[in-house]
Amino acid sequence: MSKVRVYEYAKKQNVTSKEVIDKLKTMNIEVKNHMAALENEAVAKLDKAYTGGQDKPASQNKPQSQNRPAQNNQQNRGKGGGPQANNRGGKGGQGNQGGKGRGGQQRPGQNRGGKNNRNQKNKQPFTPTPMKPRELPEKITFTESLTVAELAKKLHKEPSEIVKKLFMVGVMATVNQELDKDSIELICDDYGVAVEEEILIDSTDLETYFDEESDADKLVERPSVVTIMGHVDHGKTTLLDSIRKTKVTEGEAGGITQHIGAYQIENDDKKITFLDTPGHAAFTTMRARGAKVTDITILVVAADDGVMPQTVEAINHAKAAEVPIIIAVNKMDKPSANPDRVMQELTEHGLVPEAWGGDTIFVPVSALTGEGIDSLLEMIGLVSEVEELKADPSRRAMGTVIEAELDKGRGSVATLLVQDGTLRVGDPIVVGTTFGRVRAMVNDVGRRVKEAGPSTPVEITGLNDVPLAGDRFVVFEDEKTARSIGESRAQQALQAQRGEKTRVSLENLFEQMKQGEMKDLNVIVKGDVQGSVEAVAASLLKIEVEGVNVKIIHTAVGAITESDITLAAASNAIVIGFNVRPDANAKRAADAEQVDVRLHRIIYKVIEEIESAMTGLLDPEFEEKVIGQAEVRQTFKVSKVGTIAGSYVTEGKITRDSGVRLIRDGIVVFEGELDTLKRYKDDAKEVAKGYECGITLKNYNDVKEGDIFEAFVMEEIKR
Ligand SMILES: Nc1nc2c(ncn2[C@@H]2O[C@H](COP(=O)(O)OP(=O)(O)OP(=O)(O)O)[C@@H](O)[C@H]2O)c(=O)[nH]1
């Protein structure tokens, strides 16, 4: 196949891949990254754009294609920003100088600006004179960025000259400052020197291998991968069992005992893979790690119970992952079954049955009696046909870890879902940050196998360490490469742990918007009552700021849970708690995943904060810091004084002048000030963890045993 990839095309045109991707975007052609293969049609359109409508194919263009219209250059200059020195807020626009275009792409001697022509006059075009030491180079190359000093060296100039030039276009830079691509191009443009950005292909980035496209003629249909989700006790496990029992061939060794966290069945000559990781937590954890493994979600809803909170959560998780949903209305054998109610309730969540004019498939089943299971499988078959699930068994194997553990006898044991290619015993493999050679491979019924094709779950041994669920794996040519990539990945992971992640937060939102990285601000709203959740969500949706949309991906009543944080991490969302707090697990998860959780009690403050963040006006000067917690052990009513809460400090400390919140079952019932803080009879300035104290609140008396005081102070944030 001779398809041209984005980076190859960019090279041909002597522009960057990003520019090509941006240009494609303006043509409504979305490509994943620089590795994406371009359709002929896209190449033709690009050729047209780069040759100014002359319909000249890229192959005929000289590598340094000069004849790009100035207006294209303008367009490609990046979103609203002129040149900027990195790490600086450089006021955009200034450097975007009129029709000057990006002569950086041009070679000296070709149609250059006046200044450079003057330089050129001294040159004897056909006499091979030796290069003068201070002469400008024809072209420079760089990867990602250059410091001012490095750029100066490449241009054979003094750094101070470059600093001056930058200053002229409104960029203040010091000698050691890193310059971004725009600034480098602008300076080179000014000297009439061509620039080429070398794009490094990161061989340690496993996703790159997933993005490699297969030849169309090698693609074959692959089994669909199905996850079952639903509310507790609605019958997920029973349904999974029932499907397996009806379909696993009797003759299989090991019968129906399942060995690994996934199994495959055959229905109408078509295989279906079920992931036995019920619950959306596992599903979303995987997605948070970047892996998409599920093709279809079966949402189990008990016909006698209807839509419950976890049903809604599951819907939102599946929607966020853009996975099609089939509804299994379970427990139809029960006399109290009311499938109409289930349909009605799900309609309220945007899942409208086909019978009512929608496009959601509802299948009534009984996991207990087996009734309806065949229709369910048939529907899975139908949906997977629509999805056109394809893979190329001839390529190197790649996929995702379903689960992994350390086995005393066998060492690291990992269940992998092969998503593309064919995995074979003996293959050198990198799995997450681990590596090795596939020593032995066992299928879902415990039988040893030599190879496993697309959508097949297998258990393997032979890795040097235990990978994590959701980690990606890729097979490499030889063990040496696998080891070196595995080791660099482990190293990178360590560094990343120390470094920072770029999850969206209200603090960095504007910056990300400016760089064109954010189009949707995903938000999860949790609140104390349905009414307030709806009100917050509705007000958020009304915010109008150009360039970014608020997208509510999940709302629910109750405290912020770990599952909310996982969803936020997977969907790059922020979490808003309205009169509710995160529970302990959620707090830990939010810290670890760096999910921005914003807690509020007044709607307009929520809106104000988000709006300011979107317009870059967020005032981050003060941030609330929780300094301690105390639990109310006993209350005493004293006339004139009110209720004294005999409390025990469980975390940090409570200080006399800290702000305080009273929390009951995860819900904030009061926020205000302390009236008194006493140790025995004496006033105390602060009471530390492990000590008892008496607390009264200003203007609030309804303190109850078991309530939690949360003390906080406002701290100035260093910018
Ligand atoms: N009558 C009837 N009972 C069912 C059916 N499906 C499941 N049950 C029962 O419902 C209960 C819960 O079923 P499970 O399969 O454990 O539910 P689950 O969704 O896996 O529950 P968790 O794993 O706790 O989330 C069990 O007692 C099942 O026997 C059904 O179709 N009809």
Side-chain angles (χ1 to χ4, degrees):
M1 281 281 286
S2 60
K3 268 208 172 141
V4 53
R5 294 186 189 279
V6 169
Y7 75 92
E8 291 165 340
Y9 188 88
K11 219 166 173 183
K12 239 179 223 170
Q13 293 290 10
N14 198 24
V15 298
T16 64
S17 299
K18 167 130 190 342
E19 189 177 318
V20 173
I21 293 170
D22 285 346
K23 193 172 276 298
L24 286 167
K25 248 186 226 156
T26 65
M27 301 168 176
N28 284 329
I29 303 172
E30 288 282 343
V31 293
K32 265 195 200 151
N33 56 28
H34 63 278
M35 293 293 290
L38 292 168
E39 298 291 333
N40 291 340
E41 194 193 346
V43 174
K45 282 188 176 170
L46 280 170
D47 282 342
K48 202 165 177 182
Y50 278 114
T51 55
Q54 290 168 28
D55 267 338
K56 202 160 59 161
S59 49
Q60 288 173 25
N61 277 343
K62 293 263 152 53
Q64 291 81 15
S65 156
Q66 306 310 322
N67 34 4
R68 282 190 294 142
Q71 127 213 23
N72 271 345
N73 296 338
Q74 283 290 306
Q75 209 176 322
N76 286 324
R77 174 108 314 145
K79 314 242 154 52
Q84 288 174 21
N86 280 352
N87 313 327
R88 310 179 64 256
K91 301 273 178 291
Q94 295 183 52
N96 219 349
Q97 291 174 343
K100 205 165 178 196
R102 249 192 209 162
Q105 266 37 301
Q106 298 177 344
R107 269 185 157 164
Q110 277 187 319
N111 199 16
R112 284 182 297 123
K115 214 178 199 175
N116 306 312
N117 284 336
R118 248 177 277 130
N119 281 348
Q120 210 67 35
K121 274 182 195 158
N122 300 332
K123 233 184 178 180
Q124 301 289 317
F126 298 111
T127 336
T129 35
M131 280 265 276
K132 284 186 207 133
R134 295 264 101 186
E135 196 160 352
L136 281 166
E138 267 198 4
K139 178 176 161 186
I140 65 154
T141 58
F142 73 101
T143 41
E144 285 182 8
S145 68
L146 287 175
T147 63
V148 171
E150 287 163 346
L151 177 61
K153 197 166 168 202
K154 280 185 189 275
L155 290 170
H156 312 150
K157 295 283 172 197
E158 288 302 319
S160 57
E161 190 177 319
I162 308 288
V163 170
K164 229 179 277 167
K165 267 198 196 301
L166 284 165
F167 181 77
M168 301 296 282
V169 294
V171 180
M172 308 289 178
T174 58
V175 173
N176 292 320
Q177 190 130 14
E178 294 220 337
L179 295 174
D180 65 7
K181 191 175 137 218
D182 275 349
S183 310
I184 295 170
E185 283 177 348
L186 197 86
I187 296 298
C188 291
D189 178 11
D190 207 40
Y191 285 116
V193 172
V195 202
E196 188 184 331
E197 184 179 6
E198 286 177 344
I199 309 240
L200 286 180
I201 295 177
D202 181 4
S203 63
T204 63
D205 179 3
L206 298 185
E207 287 314 314
T208 324
Y209 303 93
F210 283 78
D211 292 340
E212 277 172 11
E213 277 163 38
S214 280
D215 296 348
D217 53 355
K218 288 191 181 148
L219 290 175
V220 297
E221 210 175 301
R222 66 166 175 85
S224 53
V225 179
V226 179
T227 305
I228 300 192
M229 306 207 271
H231 193 72
V232 186
D233 278 350
H234 279 198
K236 298 178 290 285
T237 314
T238 317
L239 185 63
L240 271 163
D241 285 347
S242 166
I243 293 171
R244 190 172 53 217
K245 271 187 210 132
T246 47
K247 288 295 165 182
V248 169
T249 8
E250 304 297 330
E252 283 273 18
I256 54 164
T257 25
Q258 190 187 338
H259 283 255
I260 57 181
Y263 66 82
Q264 219 173 39
I265 59 139
E266 203 166 310
N267 188 53
D268 284 345
D269 295 333
K270 270 194 186 156
K271 285 183 176 160
I272 305 173
T273 303
F274 285 89
L275 292 187
D276 190 4
T277 46
H280 46 257
F283 173 87
T284 302
T285 307
M286 278 195 201
R287 208 163 63 79
R289 304 184 61 77
K292 188 190 174 216
V293 293
T294 305
D295 300 309
I296 299 169
T297 295
I298 305 290
L299 180 64
V300 182
V301 188
D304 61 337
D305 202 20
V307 170
M308 300 304 272
Q310 277 178 290
T311 316
V312 179
E313 229 171 279
I315 294 171
N316 292 335
H317 282 237
K319 277 189 185 162
E322 294 175 1
V323 174
I325 302 174
I326 296 177
I327 312 294
V329 185
N330 192 29
K331 308 202 185 180
M332 286 298 288
D333 58 292
K334 284 197 163 183
S336 53
N338 185 353
D340 278 349
R341 180 178 136 208
V342 174
M343 296 210 270
Q344 183 60 50
E345 288 171 344
L346 284 172
T347 299
E348 286 163 24
H349 294 277
L351 298 171
V352 184
E354 286 174 313
W356 297 356
D359 57 4
T360 306
I361 300 173
F362 281 65
V363 188
V365 299
S366 167
L368 212 61
T369 67
E371 173 207 330
I373 301 284
D374 279 331
S375 322
L376 181 63
L377 296 175
E378 203 179 304
M379 289 305 153
I380 295 173
L382 272 180
V383 174
S384 47
E385 251 168 51
V386 174
E387 295 288 304
E388 290 187 38
L389 307 167
K390 298 254 166 78
D392 170 8
S394 70
R395 71 194 294 208
R396 64 164 97 207
M398 58 192 81
T400 303
V401 179
I402 304 299
E403 58 192 9
E405 59 173 15
L406 192 64
D407 181 281
K408 266 193 193 147
R410 296 183 296 162
S412 164
V413 180
T415 300
L416 307 182
L417 176 72
V418 180
Q419 291 180 276
D420 210 346
T422 301
L423 182 65
R424 296 185 177 83
V425 169
D427 275 348
I429 192 171
V430 173
V431 187
T433 56
T434 73
F435 60 90
R437 201 179 256 287
V438 179
R439 197 188 306 142
M441 203 150 74
V442 170
N443 72 4
D444 54 340
V445 289
R447 191 184 263 175
R448 274 182 172 251
V449 287
K450 289 228 155 56
E451 54 176 51
S455 297
T456 311
V458 277
E459 186 189 80
I460 67 152
T461 53
L463 298 176
N464 72 324
D465 206 344
V466 184
L468 298 171
D471 273 348
R472 301 290 233 171
F473 76 81
V474 172
V475 162
F476 286 89
E477 323 55 272
D478 52 61
E479 210 167 344
K480 205 172 133 216
T481 315
R483 169 185 289 270
S484 119
I485 290 182
E487 280 174 351
S488 340
R489 285 179 56 80
Q491 197 66 34
Q492 284 167 9
L494 262 181
Q495 279 163 1
Q497 254 175 25
R498 289 188 211 118
E500 54 194 44
K501 299 177 195 164
T502 44
R503 267 251 210 275
V504 64
S505 72
L506 291 188
E507 249 78 47
N508 68 21
L509 172 65
F510 188 62
E511 204 47 48
Q512 292 199 22
M513 278 167 58
K514 266 201 318 195
Q515 287 164 8
E517 287 166 11
M518 291 287 301
K519 295 220 174 64
D520 292 322
L521 172 62
N522 290 340
V523 181
I524 293 174
V525 181
K526 296 295 292 269
D528 51 349
V529 290
Q530 189 59 31
S532 59
V533 170
E534 278 167 14
V536 171
S539 321
L540 284 171
L541 288 174
K542 279 193 204 129
I543 297 180
E544 275 185 21
V545 173
E546 210 187 314
V548 67
N549 286 317
V550 175
K551 208 164 144 193
I552 311 278
I553 60 164
H554 177 57
T555 62
V557 172
I560 297 165
T561 62
E562 191 175 356
S563 158
D564 295 324
I565 302 295
T566 330
L567 178 60
S571 315
N572 199 22
I574 64 161
V575 182
I576 293 176
F578 191 77
N579 278 336
V580 291
R581 329 288 303 157
D583 62 27
N585 288 337
K587 246 187 223 164
R588 221 172 299 124
D591 280 349
E593 295 290 342
Q594 306 221 332
V595 168
D596 195 1
V597 178
R598 298 275 164 164
L599 306 171
H600 284 282
R601 288 175 60 76
I602 300 169
I603 290 191
Y604 83 78
K605 289 232 162 125
V606 182
I607 307 309
E608 206 174 78
E609 185 177 62
I610 303 272
E611 246 170 13
S612 323
M614 283 174 148
T615 46
L617 299 172
L618 189 68
D619 184 5
E621 284 189 326
F622 286 91
E623 190 181 55
E624 179 191 304
K625 190 180 162 214
V626 173
I627 56 165
Q629 269 193 0
E631 198 181 293
V632 180
R633 294 267 161 103
Q634 217 176 347
T635 57
F636 312 91
K637 292 219 175 358
V638 179
S639 56
K640 282 185 193 155
V641 181
T643 308
I644 301 173
S647 311
Y648 178 80
V649 182
T650 53
E651 248 175 69
K653 60 182 180 183
I654 309 281
T655 62
R656 174 64 191 79
D657 46 11
S658 54
V660 71
R661 243 175 240 119
L662 190 67
I663 299 159
R664 192 169 298 154
D665 302 325
I667 291 183
V668 180
V669 293
F670 169 80
E671 182 177 312
E673 289 169 53
L674 290 177
D675 197 14
T676 55
L677 176 67
K678 285 184 192 282
R679 285 273 300 146
Y680 304 106
K681 292 241 166 324
D682 304 325
D683 282 323
K685 257 198 161 152
E686 63 172 65
V687 180
K689 179 175 170 179
Y691 289 95
E692 288 175 341
C693 57
I695 294 175
T696 60
L697 298 174
K698 251 183 210 162
N699 308 322
Y700 193 81
N701 267 321
D702 188 26
V703 183
K704 295 202 163 68
E705 268 170 42
D707 284 357
I708 306 283
F709 286 113
E710 184 179 83
F712 60 90
V713 291
M714 300 309 283
E715 264 192 1
E716 194 174 344
I717 301 171
K718 286 180 202 80
R719 286 184 188 243

